[in-house]
């Protein structure tokens, strides 16, 4: 029975291989241009972060946290967290990882939020996107790491593209949830005052859905950080490299320290970007 099924095997893998081959043969210049631009932008941001002394970066991060949250505890935690990373000797990999996460999150937000808004207003689009988003979230990351590696070559760009594919369903889904969860009474009130669809979106729906959208962005950041080690397998710099090196050499101390730096960076970004809690009146 098994031979009967395999005798009629669909050549799905061969079709995908042929498609990647066609893209590689006829559109390689375009992929090279994208790789050059994205790689240059990430390297420029990394160079800027490394140009500043660590103390300046710490102070800027603490000032931003104070401006957003007015919390001395958070400011102290950020200063101590970055001081520990610098003390462990992982300041440069941390800034490289931060650059990758910033670009991945920005790309996911620029694409995911408009797509989430469009799917919230068009049920047919949401129905069409749902299986695609399920596939992007559940398929093993190494599966789409292979074609991105072939098309974009070694370096940070295939890691960035793979990270975007893995993380972008979060802002799309949560933006859709936030827009569809806006109370109908608020929309009806806006329509009663003569608001257009664009005014309803910017002045009613987006402000009401902002906490949910911010939760999607925070989740996108966490998913991007979870891809750091996998991106290092295709040549991306950052904290993933010492983790992979520690795994290959069974170096427990290096793996623990690099993993701790990833956790610290994730906690800092989560606390800074978390929606401030509203005080009860």
């Amino acid at each position: 029975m098994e031979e009967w099924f395999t005798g009629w095997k669909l050549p799905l893998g061969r079709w995908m291989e042929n498609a990647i081959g066609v893209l590689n043969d006829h559109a390689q210049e375009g992929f090279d241009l994208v790789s050059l631009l994205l790689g240059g932008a990430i390297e420029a941001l990394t160079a800027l972060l490394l140009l500043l002394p660590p103390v300046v970066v710490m102070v800027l991060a603490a000032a931003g946290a104070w401006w957003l949250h007015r919390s001395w505890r958070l400011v102290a935690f950020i200063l101590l967290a970055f001081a520990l990373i610098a003390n462990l000797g992982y300041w440069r990999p941390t800034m490289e990882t931060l650059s990758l996460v910033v670009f991945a999150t920005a790309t996911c937000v620029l694409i995911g939020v408009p797509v989430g808004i469009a799917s919230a207003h068009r049920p047919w689009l949401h129905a069409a996107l749902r299986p695609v988003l399920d596939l992007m979230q559940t398929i093993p990351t190494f599966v789409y790491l292979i074609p991105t590696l072939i098309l974009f070559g070694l370096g940070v760009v295939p890691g960035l593209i793979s990270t975007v594919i893995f993380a972008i369903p979060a802002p799309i889904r949560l933006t859709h949830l936030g827009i569809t969860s806006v109370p109908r009474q608020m929309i009806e009130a806006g329509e009663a005052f003569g608001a257009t669809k664009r005014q309803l979106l910017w002045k009613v729906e987006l402000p009401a859905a902002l906490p949910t959208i911010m939760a999607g962005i925070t989740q996108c950041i966490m998913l991007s950080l979870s891809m750091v080690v996998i991106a290092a397998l295709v040549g991306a710099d950052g904290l993933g490299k010492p983790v992979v090196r520690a795994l290959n050499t069974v170096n427990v101390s290096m793996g623990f320290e690099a993993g701790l730096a990833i956790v610290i960076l994730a906690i800092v970004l989560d606390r800074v970007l978390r929606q401030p809690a509203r005080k009860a009146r």
Side-chain angles (χ1 to χ4, degrees), residues 21-263:
V22 170
L23 290 175
N24 197 24
D25 293 337
H26 297 88
Q28 190 58 48
E29 293 182 357
F31 290 112
D32 291 340
L33 179 61
V34 172
S35 180
L36 179 64
L37 294 177
L38 290 179
I42 296 175
E43 290 177 1
L45 179 58
T46 303
L48 177 61
L49 292 174
L50 294 175
L51 181 64
L52 299 174
V55 175
V56 175
V57 177
M58 295 178 193
V59 172
L60 291 176
W66 172 256
W67 180 70
L68 289 173
H69 298 275
R70 295 294 192 273
S71 172
W72 284 110
R73 293 181 180 179
L74 180 59
V75 170
F77 171 75
I78 290 175
L79 292 175
L80 291 176
F82 279 140
L84 176 60
I85 290 175
N87 177 261
L88 293 175
Y90 290 98
W91 183 259
R92 182 184 184 88
T94 299
M95 295 299 102
E96 293 170 344
T97 297
L98 182 60
S99 299
L100 176 61
V101 171
V102 167
F103 269 89
T105 304
T107 304
C108 290
V109 170
L110 291 175
I111 299 175
V113 173
V115 173
I117 294 172
S119 64
H121 292 155
R122 297 169 179 82
W124 63 267
L125 180 59
H126 176 64
L129 284 175
R130 186 184 303 171
V132 178
L133 297 178
D134 292 339
L135 182 66
M136 293 168 67
Q137 286 186 306
T138 56
I139 193 171
T141 52
F142 289 100
V143 173
Y144 47 77
L145 199 63
I146 297 171
T148 56
L149 177 61
I150 294 174
L151 295 175
F152 296 99
L154 282 172
V156 68
V157 177
L160 173 65
I161 301 298
S162 302
T163 301
V164 170
I165 295 174
F166 180 69
I168 200 171
I172 293 177
R173 290 185 185 276
L174 287 174
T175 300
H176 173 271
L177 176 63
I179 297 296
T180 55
S181 300
V182 176
R184 183 60 190 172
Q185 294 84 350
M186 296 179 63
I187 298 178
E188 291 176 350
E191 292 174 345
F193 282 98
T196 63
K197 290 184 178 181
R198 179 175 297 182
Q199 290 172 332
L200 284 175
L201 174 64
W202 287 100
K203 297 185 178 181
V204 177
E205 292 178 332
L206 285 179
L210 184 59
T212 306
I213 295 174
M214 288 301 300
I217 296 175
T218 303
Q219 188 175 355
C220 179
I221 293 173
M222 298 301 108
L223 292 172
S224 300
L225 280 170
S226 69
M227 288 288 292
V228 166
V229 177
I230 296 176
L233 297 176
V234 292
D237 294 325
L239 292 169
K241 272 194 172 181
V243 173
V244 174
R245 194 179 302 119
L247 181 63
N248 293 332
T249 59
V250 198
N251 191 328
V252 178
S253 62
M254 180 187 295
F256 176 77
E257 291 175 352
L260 180 62
I262 295 174
V263 172

